[in-house]
Amino acid sequence: MFLSKIFNRTKAPTSFSSYVSPISTSGEVVTVENSTNLGIVYACINVKASAIAKLPLQVFVKTKDGRTRDHAHRISYLLETRPNPHMSPYMFKFVMMVHRETYGAAFIRMKFNRKGLVESLHLMYPSSVSIIEDIEGKVFYVETMNDNTQQVYSEDEVIFIPAFTTDGYNIKSPITVARETIGIIRSQEKFLGSYYQNGTLARGVIKVPTTLNKEAKEKVREEFQKMNAGMQNASKVAVLDEGFDYQNITIPLGDSEFIASQNFSLRQICRIYGIPPHMVGDLERSTFNNIEQMSMDFVLNTLQPICVSIEEEMDYKIFNKQEQQKGYYVKFNLTSALRADSKSRAEYMQLMIRNGLLTTNEGRKLEDLEPIKDGDRLLISQDLTHLDNLENLQSSKGGE
């Protein structure tokens, strides 16, 4: 193969099947495609992807006084208006996160203009991308197209956002980690489907008073299924001939161990994805107080690390050297995600404005309110002063 003569080894094929056998110990085949058809997996990925997608990703530049937001920068247009002709910023970030949470990594190809500046951002489908190291130790991204041709991109052309990696390149998909749990849930759902398909007729044994040959046994089983199985017979009374006896040998669905097993499997998926159970509709152990705390933990311990990893990768690759030297960087705005209830926000805003940390208009902006006249001046309570002023005041009183 042509590429094998150029490159030394493959560091990270992103196909799910390349990591581990897709067959779980429960016998279920687990793939990215059928895993996202599972309600709890779909819900966890949707919650996480939506949470990142709704956060504004903005461009800033460092100044002597701190920083200022650059609305006119070309990267600001890509991140806040249109990353490419086919996607809105929300959709771009959402699909990026879906790739990260299913295949274990997101790959963003940067398209450059003639001046060498980034003019658009395009998502690469993870299963078609391999990370390759050449004989000189340089890293390249090889994308297999629909016509089986291959495009090779340098490390500077692709923004790489892994979910979990052991060395910076070899990635592990959350689906891989959750494979056994997903297999169990799929088996449980098939069991339930079969249960209701049979009209809640459980698996059992029919005892007959005489010995039957193979054909007679099949006939009895067939007739019994025909008269008692299926939803159309769910509420009907079964009538057995004299001498026949039916014994149920299936664990009832109301059994506490079966229900506990289902709940454990669902919560295990939530743990793997870092999603508080109440965010996917599991309110069994939730209270008003701990829901607020868990929601805050979700932002700080699940979303913020993802934001930092995206910011750092973009800062290094999306700006050229001159822009990096000038202090350009991107930053997710987590203010909306960290908002507490209205009472807590009001108390926080009062403290920030009364202590001169925010102007009235800055506080109104955080609440999406229009600015007011004279609202750009800092306010401070009259009972506050510098410590040295207080010492001078005490000294002057002592000298009187």
Side-chain angles (χ1 to χ4, degrees):
M1 184 178 176
F2 174 71
L3 288 176
S4 63
K5 296 179 181 179
I6 304 176
F7 300 118
N8 182 25
R9 60 193 176 96
T10 301
K11 298 180 78 70
T14 59
S15 170
F16 175 80
S17 60
S18 64
Y19 290 110
V20 67
S21 169
I23 302 177
S24 63
T25 53
S26 64
E28 290 295 319
V29 176
V30 178
T31 65
V32 168
E33 288 73 19
N34 65 25
S35 295
T36 52
N37 291 331
L38 201 62
I40 184 62
V41 176
Y42 174 91
C44 285
I45 294 174
N46 185 57
V47 166
K48 208 167 179 180
S50 299
I52 291 292
K54 71 181 181 181
L55 297 176
L57 183 55
Q58 301 162 339
V59 175
F60 292 89
V61 60
K62 297 177 183 177
T63 63
K64 293 180 180 179
D65 299 325
R67 70 175 188 179
T68 183
R69 186 174 164 193
D70 192 339
H71 296 271
H73 198 282
R74 69 183 191 287
I75 300 301
S76 180
Y77 175 83
L78 295 179
L79 298 180
E80 298 184 56
T81 304
R82 209 71 179 171
N84 61 63
H86 313 293
M87 287 185 170
S88 66
Y90 179 93
M91 184 56 62
F92 183 87
K93 288 177 285 187
F94 184 90
V95 176
M96 175 189 70
M97 283 299 299
V98 171
H99 286 177
R100 182 185 183 274
E101 301 305 319
T102 50
Y103 289 95
F107 300 88
I108 304 171
R109 177 175 61 84
M110 295 177 287
K111 185 178 179 181
F112 297 86
N113 60 21
R114 293 181 179 180
K115 296 180 180 180
L117 303 177
V118 179
E119 67 176 11
S120 61
L121 303 172
H122 303 268
L123 289 164
M124 306 162 69
Y125 203 70
S127 61
S128 65
V129 180
S130 292
I131 305 176
I132 305 294
E133 183 183 47
D134 70 3
I135 56 179
E136 296 179 355
K138 296 180 180 179
V139 173
F140 294 86
Y141 296 86
V142 180
E143 182 180 19
T144 303
M145 313 305 287
N146 292 333
D147 58 359
N148 289 326
T149 59
Q150 293 181 318
Q151 297 288 333
V152 181
Y153 304 101
S154 69
E155 198 168 11
D156 295 331
E157 295 178 279
V158 175
I159 296 172
F160 175 50
I161 304 171
F164 183 92
T165 176
T166 55
D167 60 2
Y169 291 104
N170 288 293
I171 57 181
K172 179 171 286 190
S173 164
I175 301 296
T176 305
V177 179
R179 178 177 59 112
E180 294 300 334
T181 305
I182 292 173
I184 291 172
I185 296 174
R186 285 178 59 83
S187 295
Q188 289 173 332
E189 289 192 346
K190 283 188 176 180
F191 170 77
L192 289 173
S194 175
Y195 180 81
Y196 288 109
Q197 183 181 19
N198 289 325
T200 69
L201 179 67
R203 186 165 61 93
V205 174
I206 299 176
K207 292 184 178 181
V208 296
T210 60
T211 302
L212 302 178
N213 58 30
K214 183 178 180 180
E215 293 181 358
K217 290 179 180 178
E218 289 294 331
K219 186 65 175 177
V220 171
R221 180 186 296 112
E222 181 180 331
E223 289 299 321
F224 187 82
Q225 284 284 122
K226 185 186 301 182
M227 295 300 298
N228 298 285
M231 291 305 298
Q232 70 275 13
N233 296 316
S235 58
K236 293 182 179 179
V237 177
V239 178
L240 301 179
D241 290 336
E242 183 179 359
F244 281 63
D245 181 29
Y246 177 78
Q247 290 186 349
N248 188 346
I249 61 173
T250 301
I251 300 175
L253 291 181
D255 187 277
S256 60
E257 290 186 5
F258 180 82
I259 297 173
S261 173
Q262 284 185 303
N263 291 338
F264 175 80
S265 297
L266 297 179
R267 288 169 187 156
Q268 183 72 353
I269 299 295
C270 289
R271 292 187 191 101
I272 291 170
Y273 278 101
I275 304 293
H278 76 271
M279 298 187 77
V280 291
D282 183 359
L283 302 176
E284 182 177 346
R285 300 180 181 179
S286 299
T287 64
F288 179 79
N289 292 330
N290 69 13
I291 281 181
E292 184 176 352
Q293 186 58 49
M294 286 189 294
S295 298
M296 194 66 68
D297 288 340
F298 172 67
V299 175
L300 296 177
N301 299 318
T302 300
L303 298 186
Q304 195 167 28
I306 297 172
C307 292
V308 171
S309 69
I310 296 172
E311 291 164 356
E312 291 180 345
E313 179 74 353
M314 284 191 170
D315 289 345
Y316 183 74
K317 293 184 176 179
I318 207 167
F319 297 108
N320 59 33
K321 295 297 182 183
Q322 291 77 14
E323 291 170 328
Q324 291 176 12
Q325 292 172 358
K326 290 179 181 179
Y328 278 95
Y329 65 96
V330 300
K331 189 76 176 176
F332 278 98
N333 188 341
L334 289 168
T335 303
S336 61
L338 290 170
R339 280 184 179 175
D341 59 275
S342 57
K343 180 182 178 182
S344 300
R345 291 206 314 274
E347 292 173 351
Y348 164 79
M349 202 67 66
Q350 183 181 34
L351 287 173
M352 295 294 285
I353 294 176
R354 284 177 59 84
N355 292 323
L357 298 174
L358 286 177
T359 66
T360 301
N361 281 342
E362 287 173 335
R364 291 177 65 84
K365 185 177 180 180
L366 292 176
E367 295 297 317
D368 296 323
L369 299 173
E370 293 296 323
I372 61 173
K373 184 179 179 181
D374 296 328
D376 294 322
R377 299 178 62 187
L378 287 171
L379 305 175
I380 192 165
S381 177
Q382 290 183 346
D383 59 350
L384 297 176
T385 185
H386 291 290
L387 182 60
D388 53 358
N389 290 340
L390 184 61
E391 292 174 347
N392 294 334
L393 181 62
Q394 292 295 333
S395 299
S396 65
K397 287 183 178 180
E400 291 179 354

